[in-house]
Amino acid sequence: MPLSDLTHAELLAYRPEVDEPADFDAFWTRTLAEARAAGGSSTLVPAETPITQLIVEDLTFPGFDGDPVSAWVTRPKGADGPLPTVVQYQGYGGGRGLPGDNALWALAGYVHVMMDTRGQGSRWGSGGDTADPHGAGPSVPGFMTRGIEHPDDYYYRRVFTDAVRAVDAARELPFVDRDRVAVTGGSQGGGIAIAAGALADGVAAVLPDIAFLCAYRRGADVAADGPFIELAQYLSVHRDRVDDVFRTLSYFDGVNFARRIHAPALFSVALMDTIVPPSTTFAAFNHLASEDRTIEAYAFNNHEGGGTVHWQKQTVWLAERFVA
């Protein structure tokens, strides 16, 4: 399998300029204020599961427009709290799955919050439970072009808001150390983690893997497979909307969020990734405002990235920064 993009040396220096709307911060301040003003309260109940050696609970919290969003909360049994916490976001097309599907962080001593992704959960995995009750105009099948006519209507406005509200909800749990909350995720989940790292209060570390949703124009130009192609398909039909589409996407670009992340950050990328071109992830990483930042490059991997090998590196890295 050949390299899918630039060489590693070129990627380390790749720092493209991405359009940033003048009202980017005002847009997100308004969006989050409206979501919080919509009200709603969180509920936490025991999950129905055969797992007995971990505590697994079903969290529902208010997301965008107060819509109910689901998450699994998994934590060590009998551990003294408050505990460091990892909020995780799911990859494209997946949902939160079944209780206990993702137990590694809890087994490592963390509270683990696995957020469902609204409207997704039926392409792979064990399913999702969160609806997206908001409509959109004509779009390519998938999620990348839903509501792309205007930033206020764009699908990822709702998802990124949910992600911030998931951090809000996690920090209110009595067994969570609100000063030791990290965000993570792979692919789409990595892009969501970057947005949450920039927008949410109290995020102390950001750990995106093979992060999607960054440098959209580059992705649409060079991706050989996966969701970036939805943009190219849409624009092959709506030939006169190129500037409008990329203006909408500039409010959701991981590069623009990265410029606002000051927390420690550990990224990973795969240099043979045909779905998320590594240059798009490096574009965000190279714009980080963080002084403490590292990126692990897996030279011979495709979109599976570093897998559990990288998770082990994450645990060491995060433990060094979350010393109580």
Side-chain angles (χ1 to χ4, degrees), residues 140 144-145 148 216-239 242 245-246 249:
V140 170
M144 290 294 287
T145 60
I148 205 164
Y216 289 91
R217 181 58 188 259
R218 172 73 178 176
D221 285 344
V222 305
D225 197 3
F228 272 129
I229 292 176
E230 295 172 25
L231 297 175
Q233 289 177 314
Y234 181 90
L235 291 171
S236 74
V237 174
H238 301 280
R239 298 169 177 83
V242 174
V245 162
F246 287 109
L249 293 173

Side-chain angles (χ1 to χ4, degrees), residues 139-177:
S139 62
V140 170
F143 303 94
M144 290 294 287
T145 60
R146 291 190 181 182
I148 205 164
E149 295 86 358
H150 194 280
D152 279 357
D153 301 323
Y154 190 49
Y155 171 75
Y156 282 101
R157 183 184 184 221
R158 302 190 289 280
V159 173
F160 291 174
T161 301
D162 294 345
V164 172
R165 298 292 281 143
V167 174
D168 291 349
R171 295 181 76 221
E172 293 302 317
L173 296 173
F175 44 80
V176 165
D177 183 342

Side-chain angles (χ1 to χ4, degrees), residues 165-216:
R165 298 292 281 143
V167 174
D168 291 349
R171 295 181 76 221
E172 293 302 317
L173 296 173
F175 44 80
V176 165
D177 183 342
R178 57 187 293 113
D179 295 321
R180 291 189 292 164
V181 175
V183 291
T184 192
S187 191
Q188 173 186 254
I192 298 171
I194 292 171
L199 296 173
D201 296 332
V203 172
V206 183
L207 301 93
D209 296 324
I210 49 174
F212 179 43
L213 305 174
C214 305
Y216 289 91

Side-chain angles (χ1 to χ4, degrees), residues 5-314:
D5 203 345
L6 305 175
T7 67
H8 194 189
E10 291 169 329
L11 291 166
L12 289 169
Y14 185 67
R15 201 171 186 274
E17 288 303 315
V18 171
D19 288 342
E20 181 180 301
D23 64 340
F24 182 91
D25 292 314
F27 173 84
W28 283 107
T29 297
R30 171 174 62 85
T31 295
L32 297 176
E34 289 173 355
R36 290 177 173 128
S41 58
S42 297
T43 61
L44 187 70
V45 298
E48 294 185 7
T49 175
I51 292 172
T52 59
Q53 300 307 301
L54 295 169
I55 298 172
V56 187
E57 294 166 299
D58 190 348
L59 173 67
T60 302
F61 65 90
F64 178 87
D65 202 31
D67 299 334
V69 180
S70 298
W72 297 124
V73 179
T74 309
R75 55 192 169 105
K77 195 171 186 178
D80 293 331
L83 296 175
T85 299
V86 174
V87 179
Q88 184 171 350
Y89 309 109
Q90 192 57 277
Y92 197 78
R96 65 172 179 166
L98 299 175
D101 268 354
N102 295 274
L104 285 179
W105 282 109
L107 290 170
Y110 292 81
V111 176
H112 179 244
V113 179
M114 172 58 83
M115 188 188 88
D116 215 9
T117 310
R118 62 169 60 224
Q120 297 191 28
S122 299
R123 179 171 291 187
W124 58 271
S126 304
D129 299 295
T130 302
D132 183 18
H134 301 270
S139 62
V140 170
F143 303 94
M144 290 294 287
T145 60
R146 291 190 181 182
I148 205 164
E149 295 86 358
H150 194 280
D152 279 357
D153 301 323
Y154 190 49
Y155 171 75
Y156 282 101
R157 183 184 184 221
R158 302 190 289 280
V159 173
F160 291 174
T161 301
D162 294 345
V164 172
R165 298 292 281 143
V167 174
D168 291 349
R171 295 181 76 221
E172 293 302 317
L173 296 173
F175 44 80
V176 165
D177 183 342
R178 57 187 293 113
D179 295 321
R180 291 189 292 164
V181 175
V183 291
T184 192
S187 191
Q188 173 186 254
I192 298 171
I194 292 171
L199 296 173
D201 296 332
V203 172
V206 183
L207 301 93
D209 296 324
I210 49 174
F212 179 43
L213 305 174
C214 305
Y216 289 91
R217 181 58 188 259
R218 172 73 178 176
D221 285 344
V222 305
D225 197 3
F228 272 129
I229 292 176
E230 295 172 25
L231 297 175
Q233 289 177 314
Y234 181 90
L235 291 171
S236 74
V237 174
H238 301 280
R239 298 169 177 83
D240 59 341
R241 298 213 62 241
V242 174
D243 290 344
D244 291 340
V245 162
F246 287 109
R247 180 181 182 278
T248 290
L249 293 173
S250 67
Y251 288 88
F252 306 93
D253 197 309
V255 172
N256 292 332
F257 290 119
R259 292 173 174 142
R260 292 160 170 80
I261 294 176
H262 296 273
L266 173 61
F267 279 51
S268 74
V269 67
L271 301 191
M272 293 187 175
D273 193 337
T274 58
I275 292 174
V276 174
S279 58
T280 64
T281 300
F282 267 96
F285 176 79
N286 289 334
H287 278 89
L288 279 169
S290 310
E291 294 183 5
D292 179 0
R293 60 180 188 171
T294 302
I295 187 165
E296 292 281 349
Y298 294 92
F300 295 97
N301 286 95
N302 199 322
H303 197 55
E304 76 281 0
T308 306
V309 168
H310 184 67
W311 176 78
Q312 291 177 327
K313 293 180 181 180
Q314 287 179 319

